Amino acid sequence: MIEVLVAARREEALDICSYELRRVDGQPLPAFTAGAHIDVHLPDGLVRQYSLCNHPEERHRYLIGVLKDPASRGGSRGLHEQVQPGTRLTISEPRNLFPLSSQARRHLLFAGGIGITPILCMAEHLAQDGADFQLHYCARSLDRAAFVERLRRSAYADRVFLHFDEAPETALQAAQVLAMPDDDLHLYVCGPGGFMQHVLDTAKAQGWQEPCLHREYFAATPVDTGDDGSFAVKLASSGQVFDIPADRSVVQVLESHGIEIPISCEQGVCGTCLTRVLEGVPEHRDMFLTEAEQACNDQFTPCCSRSKTPLLVLDL
Ligand code: FES
């Protein structure tokens, strides 16, 4: 855990603020790579993940961008309303679950709305490396698009394409942009679920292969829980068995028996709670594992995922 101070807060667009974080003790912050995020412990006790969007070689500060989401469960609203320059926060070291591929020689970056934050960091890194890339940034309107000035003034501005819903002539022609899949061309997408689905579905329809597709979700897509049933989990180490009723998660039930699983997002996005499954078939509800990883059924996210079989044996 690192103690930081909010050194600056800027309005980057309608309902989007950036927060510049510096270490309280003035020391350099841990290094990070493009696509990394940090956990931010908010004043109200919530923990939320935010991508770092400053240049990945900077060590004197971290920059995060936060959308004030009307559907916020407290995290983004808390930041917008309570966190000002001078506020002290606790953050984790950076973690990267959305790295640039070392196999790729060319890169296509797609950002929807606040999904620009990790993508911006990737663009900075790729530009510095002299890599071959394009950045497509989609937003509802110019006033809702953060960091546009930074992109326009960047050395790679000619590789940035802005697409605004309010200007249909700028619409992203995804099928055209994704028309030439190749093993050395990789795609990275971050943004709202519908936007990401559109980009990924279009890529797959154009023949893109899964290893070339990289995504980071920042919110889970709502799941219909109406048909949820109960199941049981068994801890391999002790043999204890716990019933998981329809209205409680595995994490909640185990926690109530004093068995702590580390959690953060509690909605299947961050992967913090990832747990190995030794027997049984999980019903995956996370956005963290790839389709191929989910199909292996050897791990699941107990904060939100459930079970297709009456019993799951967990490596706990
Ligand atoms: Fe984030 Fe479970 S706590 S995936």
Side-chain angles (χ1 to χ4, degrees):
M1 290 301 159
I2 307 165
E3 297 291 321
V4 292
L5 268 181
V6 176
R9 174 191 199 271
R10 293 181 198 91
E11 306 279 336
E12 301 286 356
L14 193 59
D15 288 340
I16 298 179
C17 282
S18 69
Y19 296 84
E20 183 179 317
L21 310 176
R22 294 181 183 238
R23 251 180 119 122
V24 168
D25 61 12
Q27 295 298 306
L29 287 155
F32 67 99
T33 49
H37 72 268
I38 51 171
D39 290 347
V40 177
H41 295 249
L42 299 168
D44 52 11
L46 291 170
V47 182
R48 290 290 176 265
Q49 291 74 43
Y50 295 102
S51 297
L52 298 176
C53 60
N54 51 315
H55 193 290
E57 283 194 354
E58 290 184 351
R59 300 284 302 279
H60 66 293
R61 64 172 191 158
Y62 290 153
L63 192 68
I64 57 172
V66 181
L67 168 70
K68 186 175 176 184
D69 180 357
S72 166
R73 295 179 301 148
S76 71
R77 207 176 47 230
L79 258 165
H80 273 254
E81 289 170 3
Q82 300 168 28
V83 175
Q84 300 295 335
T87 304
R88 261 175 114 118
L89 295 170
T90 304
I91 62 170
S92 68
E93 293 208 358
R95 210 156 48 121
N96 199 342
L97 304 172
F98 187 40
L100 287 162
S101 166
S102 56
Q103 312 295 315
R105 298 227 331 272
R106 295 174 296 140
H107 309 259
L108 280 176
L109 311 178
F110 293 91
I114 192 63
I116 187 63
T117 49
I119 296 290
L120 188 52
C121 193
M122 289 176 164
E124 302 268 338
H125 173 85
L126 292 170
Q128 176 164 316
D129 265 15
D132 182 344
F133 77 97
Q134 273 186 9
L135 191 173
H136 292 270
Y137 182 11
C138 302
R140 275 158 61 189
S141 55
L142 178 59
D143 62 348
R144 289 188 175 274
F147 307 115
V148 169
E149 270 319 298
R150 180 169 152 193
L151 289 167
R152 283 182 171 154
R153 281 188 279 106
S154 71
Y156 53 89
D158 58 334
R159 280 170 279 171
V160 176
F161 301 86
L162 301 172
H163 309 281
F164 298 122
D165 294 352
E166 65 179 0
E169 69 281 5
T170 67
L172 169 65
Q173 305 296 335
Q176 211 172 305
V177 177
L178 295 164
M180 306 279 276
D182 204 336
D183 287 349
D184 73 358
L185 176 61
H186 282 226
L187 172 167
Y188 308 82
V189 58
C190 185
F195 165 77
M196 294 179 64
Q197 201 63 49
H198 172 62
V199 172
L200 292 168
D201 285 351
T202 308
K204 286 178 191 167
Q206 300 280 6
W208 284 67
Q209 299 300 307
E210 187 61 39
C212 296
L213 305 177
H214 309 271
R215 70 272 270 173
E216 183 158 80
Y217 291 90
F218 50 72
T221 336
V223 175
D224 181 5
T225 56
D227 292 335
D228 281 356
S230 60
F231 58 99
V233 294
K234 181 174 174 180
L235 310 190
S237 59
S238 63
Q240 287 170 289
V241 176
F242 300 96
D243 287 323
I244 313 297
D247 60 346
R248 301 188 74 200
S249 71
V250 174
V251 163
Q252 288 169 338
V253 171
L254 294 187
E255 191 179 35
S256 67
H257 288 88
I259 299 149
E260 298 271 349
I261 295 180
I263 50 168
S264 184
C265 72
E266 295 178 73
Q267 49 178 337
V269 173
C270 72
T272 304
C273 66
L274 205 60
T275 300
R276 288 216 320 136
V277 175
L278 303 176
E279 279 175 45
V281 181
E283 184 191 322
H284 298 285
R285 293 202 176 159
D286 66 283
M287 318 296 284
F288 175 75
L289 296 169
T290 63
E291 282 172 27
E293 287 169 336
Q294 287 187 345
C296 291
N297 287 325
D298 58 354
Q299 51 187 343
F300 86 139
T301 53
C303 67
C304 63
S305 294
R306 302 192 65 79
S307 181
K308 288 183 180 166
T309 47
L311 179 73
L312 286 182
V313 181
L314 306 181
D315 188 15
L316 290 172

